[in-house]
Amino acid sequence: QRTVTIDGESVPVDGGSLSERDVDAALSCQYFLDWREHKDPLIRVSKIYLQSLDWFGSRVGFLKLRVEAKDPQGNDIPGIIFMRGGGVIILPILDTPDGRFILCVRQARMPIGSVHSLELPSGM
């Protein structure tokens, strides 16, 4: 069985129906390497399931995976990750008598490996 090292721990990887070539590409693509390197160490990943990979010519375009992960309190974190290039956000500015404010949200985000991600509302 394949494994990757995350935060010094050996984490099993289930390649599902992906070919060996696709599994190799998924585990070595920049999206995955960046996520693995910058994931918050407070998130404990226990297993990775590679679900799909789309090629853009000779490079990985989209990578979809699911991870089994827990926050520091032992709660499951939703672990469906769709790795791709850039995204779209909105910048809500509240104009009030007390001043201008920017609206942000704080939530656990597995794709960036953070338990307390402060972010602008976004979507796909």
Side-chain angles (χ1 to χ4, degrees), residues 21-56:
R21 174 183 179 249
D22 285 357
V23 171
D24 289 342
L27 298 178
S28 63
C29 80
Q30 199 60 52
Y31 304 141
F32 183 79
L33 296 175
D34 288 345
W35 171 79
R36 191 180 74 178
E37 180 180 337
H38 299 291
K39 183 198 69 57
D40 189 326
L42 296 175
I43 296 172
R44 187 165 192 290
V45 175
S46 58
K47 190 158 186 179
I48 297 171
Y49 300 88
L50 300 176
Q51 296 182 321
S52 67
L53 182 142
D54 293 305
W55 290 94
F56 289 1

Side-chain angles (χ1 to χ4, degrees), residues 6 69 78 81 92:
I6 298 178
I81 303 172

Side-chain angles (χ1 to χ4, degrees), residues 100-121:
R100 296 179 102 185
F101 300 91
I102 296 174
L103 177 66
C104 293
V105 295
R106 184 180 306 273
Q107 54 193 351
R109 285 290 190 188
M110 199 63 194
I112 62 169
S114 176
V115 175
H116 304 289
S117 176
L118 183 62
E119 58 190 51
L120 295 167

Side-chain angles (χ1 to χ4, degrees), residues 42-93:
L42 296 175
I43 296 172
R44 187 165 192 290
V45 175
S46 58
K47 190 158 186 179
I48 297 171
Y49 300 88
L50 300 176
Q51 296 182 321
S52 67
L53 182 142
D54 293 305
W55 290 94
F56 289 1
S58 62
R59 69 180 178 87
V60 174
F62 299 133
L63 173 61
K64 184 173 182 270
L65 54 129
R66 182 175 64 82
V67 300
E68 292 177 2
K70 297 198 180 289
D71 68 16
Q73 291 73 38
N75 301 309
D76 290 334
I77 296 176
I80 295 174
I81 303 172
F82 180 67
M83 295 182 175
R84 62 183 182 96
V88 176
I89 63 169
I90 61 170
L91 179 62
I93 299 174

